[in-house]
Amino acid sequence: MSSAKTSEEARWLGVVAATAGVAGAIGVVGAAAGAGFVTLLKRQAAHARDVIGKPLGEEAIDADKVYRKTYGGTPVELLVLGDSIAAGLGAETKGGTLGARLAKGTAKALQRPVRLRTAAVVGAETSMVPAQLESLPESYRPDVAVVIVGGNDVTHRVPQKDSTRVLGEVIDALRERGAEVVVGTCPDVGAVRPLPQPLRSLGRRIARQLADGQRETALARGAHVVSLSDVVGPFFITNPDEMFAIDHFHPSAMGYKRTAKAMLPSVLAALGQVHKVPFGHHLPELPPEAEEPPALEDADDPDRQP
């Protein structure tokens, strides 16, 4: 068995291990039934591994550049951190990645160019995001940072308290750099069709619990939050052939288009361009007297580095 398959199997068996307690809790049907339930989940995880595979590889397209230069003026600095979704794995062109679509949408709304910088890494867990931020020059000051992470925490059985703690630290570090932050919470794992039932339902429950914890942590730290399972999850469930890439796991070009469109209101709200957000978007909970990060107008600071 290849190392790639071994790794993928370990990930899906991680979901099984994380939910094995459910079987143990079914005391009324006895230990034998519980053991049979776990065995079923392991078989389903192995099947999902074989179906998904890694046809997209492990490197996303590099889409970093200044978008819509023709608008003129100092570019808005957009930073994207997180996992394979944040990196845009599954997009077939630079312009089809999540970061590029957010950059173009933001540029159009503001009539200003946007410089995209992507530090997201395919396969990243929340614990790896601080290293992504540390890889950037100390002088780099993003106007807005988008963070999407959580799916790998679910499949790798990372305790929710550890994931949310690190997410909070990342938000604090970004705000110290003067950035507004937009967090896209853990997507709906239950939308992944290669996961059979009951594994799919169990994965969905774990992902939802993590997303809830991410939302609470992010809002308390002054970040804007987009509940991805609410704003785009239904599209992935009802239109899987269009929304998923060939691995049936990562978003397709259409999936990224929908996700970027859904996230854009919170990005614009973070930049002070809109004051009302639609369903599934959540405004930060910092009190009015809390210190606010530098406004977008400060983007003309001559000391700003690309």
PDB file of all heavy atoms in Angstrom, residues 230-249:
ATOM      1  N   ASP A 230     -23.781  26.654   6.598  1.00  0.00           N
ATOM      2  CA  ASP A 230     -25.079  27.299   6.397  1.00  0.00           C
ATOM      3  C   ASP A 230     -25.164  28.017   5.055  1.00  0.00           C
ATOM      4  O   ASP A 230     -26.179  27.934   4.360  1.00  0.00           O
ATOM      5  CB  ASP A 230     -25.356  28.303   7.519  1.00  0.00           C
ATOM      6  CG  ASP A 230     -25.591  27.645   8.857  1.00  0.00           C
ATOM      7  OD1 ASP A 230     -26.101  26.502   8.868  1.00  0.00           O
ATOM      8  OD2 ASP A 230     -25.263  28.248   9.894  1.00  0.00           O
ATOM      9  N   VAL A 231     -24.112  28.742   4.686  1.00  0.00           N
ATOM     10  CA  VAL A 231     -24.205  29.597   3.502  1.00  0.00           C
ATOM     11  C   VAL A 231     -23.910  28.877   2.192  1.00  0.00           C
ATOM     12  O   VAL A 231     -24.410  29.280   1.128  1.00  0.00           O
ATOM     13  CB  VAL A 231     -23.286  30.829   3.635  1.00  0.00           C
ATOM     14  CG1 VAL A 231     -23.694  31.667   4.833  1.00  0.00           C
ATOM     15  CG2 VAL A 231     -21.819  30.430   3.746  1.00  0.00           C
ATOM     16  N   VAL A 232     -23.087  27.820   2.228  1.00  0.00           N
ATOM     17  CA  VAL A 232     -22.816  27.088   0.982  1.00  0.00           C
ATOM     18  C   VAL A 232     -23.040  25.586   1.095  1.00  0.00           C
ATOM     19  O   VAL A 232     -23.120  24.893   0.083  1.00  0.00           O
ATOM     20  CB  VAL A 232     -21.378  27.340   0.456  1.00  0.00           C
ATOM     21  CG1 VAL A 232     -21.205  28.766   0.034  1.00  0.00           C
ATOM     22  CG2 VAL A 232     -20.341  26.940   1.498  1.00  0.00           C
ATOM     23  N   GLY A 233     -23.153  25.083   2.331  1.00  0.00           N
ATOM     24  CA  GLY A 233     -23.356  23.650   2.515  1.00  0.00           C
ATOM     25  C   GLY A 233     -24.509  23.078   1.715  1.00  0.00           C
ATOM     26  O   GLY A 233     -24.371  22.031   1.070  1.00  0.00           O
ATOM     27  N   PRO A 234     -25.674  23.750   1.684  1.00  0.00           N
ATOM     28  CA  PRO A 234     -26.810  23.214   0.917  1.00  0.00           C
ATOM     29  C   PRO A 234     -26.510  23.051  -0.573  1.00  0.00           C
ATOM     30  O   PRO A 234     -27.022  22.121  -1.207  1.00  0.00           O
ATOM     31  CB  PRO A 234     -27.897  24.268   1.152  1.00  0.00           C
ATOM     32  CG  PRO A 234     -27.566  24.850   2.489  1.00  0.00           C
ATOM     33  CD  PRO A 234     -26.072  24.914   2.507  1.00  0.00           C
ATOM     34  N   PHE A 235     -25.698  23.936  -1.150  1.00  0.00           N
ATOM     35  CA  PHE A 235     -25.363  23.814  -2.572  1.00  0.00           C
ATOM     36  C   PHE A 235     -24.543  22.555  -2.831  1.00  0.00           C
ATOM     37  O   PHE A 235     -24.716  21.874  -3.850  1.00  0.00           O
ATOM     38  CB  PHE A 235     -24.585  25.042  -3.046  1.00  0.00           C
ATOM     39  CG  PHE A 235     -25.386  26.313  -3.048  1.00  0.00           C
ATOM     40  CD1 PHE A 235     -25.201  27.272  -2.068  1.00  0.00           C
ATOM     41  CD2 PHE A 235     -26.340  26.539  -4.027  1.00  0.00           C
ATOM     42  CE1 PHE A 235     -25.942  28.438  -2.058  1.00  0.00           C
ATOM     43  CE2 PHE A 235     -27.093  27.713  -4.033  1.00  0.00           C
ATOM     44  CZ  PHE A 235     -26.886  28.655  -3.044  1.00  0.00           C
ATOM     45  N   PHE A 236     -23.622  22.236  -1.909  1.00  0.00           N
ATOM     46  CA  PHE A 236     -22.796  21.042  -2.070  1.00  0.00           C
ATOM     47  C   PHE A 236     -23.631  19.772  -1.906  1.00  0.00           C
ATOM     48  O   PHE A 236     -23.322  18.747  -2.498  1.00  0.00           O
ATOM     49  CB  PHE A 236     -21.652  21.055  -1.048  1.00  0.00           C
ATOM     50  CG  PHE A 236     -20.512  21.959  -1.428  1.00  0.00           C
ATOM     51  CD1 PHE A 236     -20.528  23.303  -1.100  1.00  0.00           C
ATOM     52  CD2 PHE A 236     -19.421  21.462  -2.137  1.00  0.00           C
ATOM     53  CE1 PHE A 236     -19.484  24.141  -1.461  1.00  0.00           C
ATOM     54  CE2 PHE A 236     -18.369  22.290  -2.500  1.00  0.00           C
ATOM     55  CZ  PHE A 236     -18.398  23.635  -2.163  1.00  0.00           C
ATOM     56  N   ILE A 237     -24.689  19.852  -1.109  1.00  0.00           N
ATOM     57  CA  ILE A 237     -25.544  18.682  -0.894  1.00  0.00           C
ATOM     58  C   ILE A 237     -26.465  18.442  -2.092  1.00  0.00           C
ATOM     59  O   ILE A 237     -26.635  17.317  -2.551  1.00  0.00           O
ATOM     60  CB  ILE A 237     -26.382  18.869   0.391  1.00  0.00           C
ATOM     61  CG1 ILE A 237     -25.463  18.847   1.619  1.00  0.00           C
ATOM     62  CG2 ILE A 237     -27.441  17.768   0.505  1.00  0.00           C
ATOM     63  CD1 ILE A 237     -26.164  19.193   2.917  1.00  0.00           C
ATOM     64  N   THR A 238     -27.041  19.514  -2.634  1.00  0.00           N
ATOM     65  CA  THR A 238     -28.025  19.372  -3.711  1.00  0.00           C
ATOM     66  C   THR A 238     -27.407  19.306  -5.100  1.00  0.00           C
ATOM     67  O   THR A 238     -28.020  18.778  -6.023  1.00  0.00           O
ATOM     68  CB  THR A 238     -29.037  20.532  -3.682  1.00  0.00           C
ATOM     69  OG1 THR A 238     -28.330  21.773  -3.808  1.00  0.00           O
ATOM     70  CG2 THR A 238     -29.816  20.535  -2.370  1.00  0.00           C
ATOM     71  N   ASN A 239     -26.180  19.851  -5.252  1.00  0.00           N
ATOM     72  CA  ASN A 239     -25.521  19.857  -6.565  1.00  0.00           C
ATOM     73  C   ASN A 239     -24.086  19.336  -6.476  1.00  0.00           C
ATOM     74  O   ASN A 239     -23.140  20.041  -6.845  1.00  0.00           O
ATOM     75  CB  ASN A 239     -25.515  21.276  -7.150  1.00  0.00           C
ATOM     76  CG  ASN A 239     -26.900  21.851  -7.300  1.00  0.00           C
ATOM     77  OD1 ASN A 239     -27.676  21.424  -8.150  1.00  0.00           O
ATOM     78  ND2 ASN A 239     -27.218  22.836  -6.471  1.00  0.00           N
ATOM     79  N   PRO A 240     -23.906  18.126  -5.985  1.00  0.00           N
ATOM     80  CA  PRO A 240     -22.542  17.619  -5.766  1.00  0.00           C
ATOM     81  C   PRO A 240     -21.704  17.515  -7.039  1.00  0.00           C
ATOM     82  O   PRO A 240     -20.496  17.743  -7.000  1.00  0.00           O
ATOM     83  CB  PRO A 240     -22.778  16.244  -5.133  1.00  0.00           C
ATOM     84  CG  PRO A 240     -24.147  15.844  -5.606  1.00  0.00           C
ATOM     85  CD  PRO A 240     -24.927  17.115  -5.639  1.00  0.00           C
ATOM     86  N   ASP A 241     -22.317  17.175  -8.165  1.00  0.00           N
ATOM     87  CA  ASP A 241     -21.553  17.025  -9.402  1.00  0.00           C
ATOM     88  C   ASP A 241     -20.947  18.343  -9.860  1.00  0.00           C
ATOM     89  O   ASP A 241     -19.879  18.366 -10.477  1.00  0.00           O
ATOM     90  CB  ASP A 241     -22.434  16.444 -10.507  1.00  0.00           C
ATOM     91  CG  ASP A 241     -22.867  15.024 -10.224  1.00  0.00           C
ATOM     92  OD1 ASP A 241     -22.167  14.353  -9.424  1.00  0.00           O
ATOM     93  OD2 ASP A 241     -23.895  14.583 -10.774  1.00  0.00           O
ATOM     94  N   GLU A 242     -21.614  19.443  -9.591  1.00  0.00           N
ATOM     95  CA  GLU A 242     -21.111  20.758  -9.972  1.00  0.00           C
ATOM     96  C   GLU A 242     -20.179  21.349  -8.921  1.00  0.00           C
ATOM     97  O   GLU A 242     -19.201  22.026  -9.258  1.00  0.00           O
ATOM     98  CB  GLU A 242     -22.272  21.729 -10.188  1.00  0.00           C
ATOM     99  CG  GLU A 242     -23.165  21.403 -11.379  1.00  0.00           C
ATOM    100  CD  GLU A 242     -24.258  22.443 -11.542  1.00  0.00           C
ATOM    101  OE1 GLU A 242     -24.305  23.389 -10.719  1.00  0.00           O
ATOM    102  OE2 GLU A 242     -25.048  22.316 -12.491  1.00  0.00           O
ATOM    103  N   MET A 243     -20.472  21.102  -7.667  1.00  0.00           N
ATOM    104  CA  MET A 243     -19.768  21.789  -6.586  1.00  0.00           C
ATOM    105  C   MET A 243     -18.467  21.118  -6.162  1.00  0.00           C
ATOM    106  O   MET A 243     -17.578  21.768  -5.615  1.00  0.00           O
ATOM    107  CB  MET A 243     -20.692  21.915  -5.369  1.00  0.00           C
ATOM    108  CG  MET A 243     -21.979  22.680  -5.660  1.00  0.00           C
ATOM    109  SD  MET A 243     -21.694  24.403  -6.117  1.00  0.00           S
ATOM    110  CE  MET A 243     -21.221  25.075  -4.539  1.00  0.00           C
ATOM    111  N   PHE A 244     -18.347  19.821  -6.407  1.00  0.00           N
ATOM    112  CA  PHE A 244     -17.134  19.114  -6.016  1.00  0.00           C
ATOM    113  C   PHE A 244     -16.218  18.881  -7.205  1.00  0.00           C
ATOM    114  O   PHE A 244     -16.670  18.711  -8.340  1.00  0.00           O
ATOM    115  CB  PHE A 244     -17.474  17.768  -5.380  1.00  0.00           C
ATOM    116  CG  PHE A 244     -17.959  17.857  -3.953  1.00  0.00           C
ATOM    117  CD1 PHE A 244     -19.300  17.688  -3.649  1.00  0.00           C
ATOM    118  CD2 PHE A 244     -17.074  18.113  -2.915  1.00  0.00           C
ATOM    119  CE1 PHE A 244     -19.755  17.773  -2.341  1.00  0.00           C
ATOM    120  CE2 PHE A 244     -17.508  18.200  -1.603  1.00  0.00           C
ATOM    121  CZ  PHE A 244     -18.850  18.033  -1.318  1.00  0.00           C
ATOM    122  N   ALA A 245     -14.917  18.828  -6.933  1.00  0.00           N
ATOM    123  CA  ALA A 245     -13.917  18.509  -7.949  1.00  0.00           C
ATOM    124  C   ALA A 245     -13.941  17.008  -8.223  1.00  0.00           C
ATOM    125  O   ALA A 245     -14.772  16.271  -7.680  1.00  0.00           O
ATOM    126  CB  ALA A 245     -12.534  18.951  -7.476  1.00  0.00           C
ATOM    127  N   ILE A 246     -13.007  16.536  -9.030  1.00  0.00           N
ATOM    128  CA  ILE A 246     -13.032  15.132  -9.446  1.00  0.00           C
ATOM    129  C   ILE A 246     -12.809  14.149  -8.313  1.00  0.00           C
ATOM    130  O   ILE A 246     -13.122  12.965  -8.449  1.00  0.00           O
ATOM    131  CB  ILE A 246     -11.991  14.864 -10.558  1.00  0.00           C
ATOM    132  CG1 ILE A 246     -10.581  15.246 -10.070  1.00  0.00           C
ATOM    133  CG2 ILE A 246     -12.349  15.625 -11.821  1.00  0.00           C
ATOM    134  CD1 ILE A 246      -9.490  14.881 -11.059  1.00  0.00           C
ATOM    135  N   ASP A 247     -12.260  14.612  -7.183  1.00  0.00           N
ATOM    136  CA  ASP A 247     -12.066  13.703  -6.055  1.00  0.00           C
ATOM    137  C   ASP A 247     -13.307  13.603  -5.181  1.00  0.00           C
ATOM    138  O   ASP A 247     -13.321  12.860  -4.200  1.00  0.00           O
ATOM    139  CB  ASP A 247     -10.855  14.123  -5.220  1.00  0.00           C
ATOM    140  CG  ASP A 247     -11.038  15.484  -4.538  1.00  0.00           C
ATOM    141  OD1 ASP A 247     -12.030  16.177  -4.848  1.00  0.00           O
ATOM    142  OD2 ASP A 247     -10.183  15.842  -3.710  1.00  0.00           O
ATOM    143  N   HIS A 248     -14.361  14.375  -5.514  1.00  0.00           N
ATOM    144  CA  HIS A 248     -15.620  14.377  -4.758  1.00  0.00           C
ATOM    145  C   HIS A 248     -15.426  14.804  -3.307  1.00  0.00           C
ATOM    146  O   HIS A 248     -16.241  14.489  -2.447  1.00  0.00           O
ATOM    147  CB  HIS A 248     -16.283  12.985  -4.790  1.00  0.00           C
ATOM    148  CG  HIS A 248     -16.478  12.445  -6.163  1.00  0.00           C
ATOM    149  ND1 HIS A 248     -17.391  12.961  -7.052  1.00  0.00           N
ATOM    150  CD2 HIS A 248     -15.831  11.434  -6.832  1.00  0.00           C
ATOM    151  CE1 HIS A 248     -17.325  12.291  -8.184  1.00  0.00           C
ATOM    152  NE2 HIS A 248     -16.388  11.377  -8.084  1.00  0.00           N
ATOM    153  N   PHE A 249     -14.336  15.520  -3.050  1.00  0.00           N
ATOM    154  CA  PHE A 249     -14.010  15.926  -1.679  1.00  0.00           C
ATOM    155  C   PHE A 249     -13.709  17.419  -1.586  1.00  0.00           C
ATOM    156  O   PHE A 249     -14.198  18.104  -0.698  1.00  0.00           O
ATOM    157  CB  PHE A 249     -12.810  15.118  -1.172  1.00  0.00           C
ATOM    158  CG  PHE A 249     -12.496  15.330   0.282  1.00  0.00           C
ATOM    159  CD1 PHE A 249     -13.280  14.751   1.257  1.00  0.00           C
ATOM    160  CD2 PHE A 249     -11.407  16.103   0.669  1.00  0.00           C
ATOM    161  CE1 PHE A 249     -12.993  14.938   2.609  1.00  0.00           C
ATOM    162  CE2 PHE A 249     -11.108  16.297   2.009  1.00  0.00           C
ATOM    163  CZ  PHE A 249     -11.900  15.722   2.980  1.00  0.00           C
TER     164      PHE A 249
END
